Amino acid sequence: MQVTIGQTADDRRKIQKSFSGTSVQVQLKQPCDLLHPVFVLTWSSSYVHSNYLHAPELGRYYYIDDVILLTGSRAELHCSVDVLMSYKDQILSLDVNVIRNENERNKLIAADTYVDLLGVWLPSLFPFFVDYLPRTIPTRNIYLVGALIFMALVVVFRVFGFFSLRERVPLASRDEMNSTSVWKSVKQVASCRPMWALLAKGFCGMGKGTGQSVANYFWLNCTGKLSNAAISGIFTGLPSYFVLPFANKWAKKIGVKKLSVLAYGYCGIVYLIMYFIGYRPTDNNIINLIIIVIGLTFAGAMNSVQRFCGTALQGDLYDYVEWKTGIRNEGMMSAAMGYITLITNNISTILSGIIIAAIKYEPLINSYGVVIPQTDPSMLNAIW
């Protein structure tokens, strides 16, 4: 392999560095690490002041961090990649300032999460219509109209997002796409351990997804009204808005990964405590509802932090893979994570159906087609 060994006096933060040197034949020591390679060459005293090299076959520039002399007039050059010089053409061709600012990025993620939370909160108000529209309207018709309204809103916002974002997303050039085969992209995804950790986290979330799928059964039968879910949603959603501003500060202090583990662990403990307390700890229905709302408020306090951490970790994943391989493989990774999410949601839906069938739940419907609460204690405990 031919490399150019020389010297540069420019600041490491400079993109276009001044560099000249001598072409030298070297061997790449195996196993190879593109970020910190080791080159073996025949040593010459003319290389004593060299601190920089260019490896065209690797497509990168490297700092020479250390020189280890070997026997037989040979030496090892221990190097580290210069990302700015290696990608200078791509960086300089952009019409924006490029800087990895995690603090600024995390603030943008937090702002986006605020809007995301609003979209999650609005549907929780829908049960009010079920309880307070005229009781002569069948429950099935109310849900059908609501589903059509939300589907129309999804289409509108998706179309708006497409026309707003399509020219702002950086696309790979034809040369970049041709330089990386599909099989190589698949191998990069398959060998990325951080991505598999996120996939495992998402897959394990199907337990909570199953609970959300059968939540309306609980509110209707165990509390007596579907609209109690909306009342609960008003309170359980509020802490997320107050806690979210602190997410960025906590992430800077302990790291996104630790913050994510703490947020999910906290919610799990609160849900477990609620399960042991039960849905009917007293004989007063109002007090029971208050206890449930308080428990869910504590449990949901860190929901916004979970969303924040999930988005931040996914962004870090893309940056990590590009740093490791030199290729920003967002498309393949997004497809893999989206597919696992789709499978998880489908499993959650199937499990919820199996659970409802296993407890032999049969809805009680009055003469107007309105679903009314169950009264069998064993059925209510099974739903809980």
Side-chain angles (χ1 to χ4, degrees):
M1 176 188 296
Q2 289 290 130
V3 301
T4 302
I5 298 178
Q7 190 174 12
T8 182
D10 291 334
D11 190 287
R12 290 198 172 206
R13 294 170 294 180
K14 186 177 179 180
I15 297 175
Q16 187 78 48
K17 297 179 176 65
S18 300
F19 168 66
S20 61
T22 304
S23 181
V24 181
Q25 184 72 26
V26 300
Q27 289 182 337
L28 188 60
K29 188 175 180 179
Q30 300 296 332
C32 173
D33 183 351
L34 288 178
L35 303 179
H36 303 282
V38 176
F39 299 98
V40 180
L41 76 164
T42 302
W43 183 249
S44 169
S45 58
S46 59
Y47 306 147
V48 170
H49 299 292
S50 299
N51 64 354
Y52 205 69
L53 68 81
H54 177 216
E57 293 186 32
L58 301 181
R60 288 169 172 80
Y61 289 81
Y62 293 95
Y63 294 105
I64 300 176
D65 298 325
D66 193 15
V67 177
I68 299 178
L69 297 178
L70 306 174
T71 59
S73 300
R74 295 179 306 137
E76 287 183 351
L77 303 183
H78 291 250
C79 305
S80 59
V81 69
D82 179 2
V83 178
L84 296 180
M85 189 68 168
S86 298
Y87 297 100
K88 64 181 184 302
D89 294 334
Q90 293 90 330
I91 295 174
L92 295 175
S93 65
L94 297 174
D95 57 357
V96 296
N97 294 324
V98 179
I99 181 170
R100 177 171 171 81
N101 189 331
E102 291 187 3
N103 185 50
E104 187 66 26
R105 183 203 64 174
N106 289 346
K107 287 181 180 178
L108 293 174
I109 292 175
D112 178 72
T113 305
Y114 267 111
V115 180
D116 190 24
L117 286 172
L118 182 63
V120 173
W121 180 66
L122 283 177
S124 68
L125 301 178
F126 188 75
F128 268 118
F129 295 104
V130 178
D131 284 339
Y132 295 106
L133 281 175
R135 301 296 287 177
T136 56
I137 302 176
T139 305
R140 179 184 179 87
N141 292 353
I142 297 175
Y143 273 101
L144 179 61
V145 173
L148 292 175
I149 292 173
F150 282 115
M151 286 173 62
L153 290 174
V154 168
V155 171
V156 170
F157 286 118
R158 287 288 187 180
V159 172
F160 173 78
F162 172 77
F163 286 106
S164 299
L165 297 175
R166 65 190 181 115
E167 295 182 358
R168 293 172 173 81
V169 178
L171 300 177
S173 67
R174 185 176 296 276
D175 291 338
E176 288 174 326
M177 288 188 286
N178 290 335
S179 65
T180 307
S181 65
V182 174
W183 176 239
K184 184 176 180 181
S185 296
V186 171
K187 288 195 295 184
Q188 288 175 354
V189 171
S191 61
C192 182
R193 288 182 295 176
M195 190 200 70
W196 284 106
L198 288 182
L199 292 179
K201 185 267 294 184
F203 187 78
C204 292
M206 67 180 176
K208 186 175 182 180
T210 304
Q212 291 171 340
S213 298
V214 299
N216 282 341
Y217 291 91
F218 165 75
W219 291 112
L220 172 65
N221 298 288
C222 296
T223 69
K225 286 185 177 181
L226 273 174
S227 56
N228 288 337
I231 296 173
S232 174
I234 294 173
F235 294 97
T236 58
L238 288 177
S240 292
Y241 290 95
F242 294 106
V243 171
L244 186 57
F246 297 98
N248 188 35
K249 297 179 181 179
W250 293 337
K252 288 174 62 178
K253 190 169 184 179
I254 65 174
V256 178
K257 289 189 293 185
K258 291 180 180 178
L259 179 60
S260 180
V261 171
L262 288 175
Y264 279 97
Y266 164 82
C267 292
I269 291 172
V270 176
Y271 278 123
L272 187 63
I273 293 173
M274 285 185 62
Y275 173 75
F276 287 120
I277 292 176
Y279 72 93
R280 195 177 176 81
T282 71
D283 293 329
N284 189 303
N285 291 334
I286 295 178
I287 293 177
N288 292 337
L289 180 60
I290 291 174
I291 292 173
I292 291 172
V293 170
I294 291 174
L296 290 176
T297 300
F298 277 101
M302 299 295 279
N303 282 348
S304 59
V305 178
Q306 295 174 11
R307 291 173 177 270
F308 167 85
C309 291
T311 306
L313 287 172
Q314 190 168 335
D316 286 343
L317 173 64
Y318 297 145
D319 292 340
Y320 168 80
V321 172
E322 184 178 19
W323 172 76
K324 192 76 174 176
T325 66
I327 300 172
R328 192 169 184 84
N329 203 344
E330 288 187 31
M332 188 70 71
M333 293 190 170
S334 297
M337 288 188 284
Y339 183 67
I340 293 296
T341 301
L342 180 64
I343 292 176
T344 301
N345 291 339
N346 287 336
I347 294 176
S348 297
T349 303
I350 293 171
L351 284 177
S352 62
I354 293 174
I355 291 170
I356 295 302
I359 65 176
K360 297 182 169 76
Y361 177 83
E362 291 290 341
L364 302 179
I365 303 175
N366 65 15
S367 58
Y368 293 108
V370 177
V371 180
I372 59 177
Q374 298 274 347
T375 56
D376 182 3
S378 61
M379 178 65 68
L380 298 179
N381 286 328
I383 292 173
W384 171 250

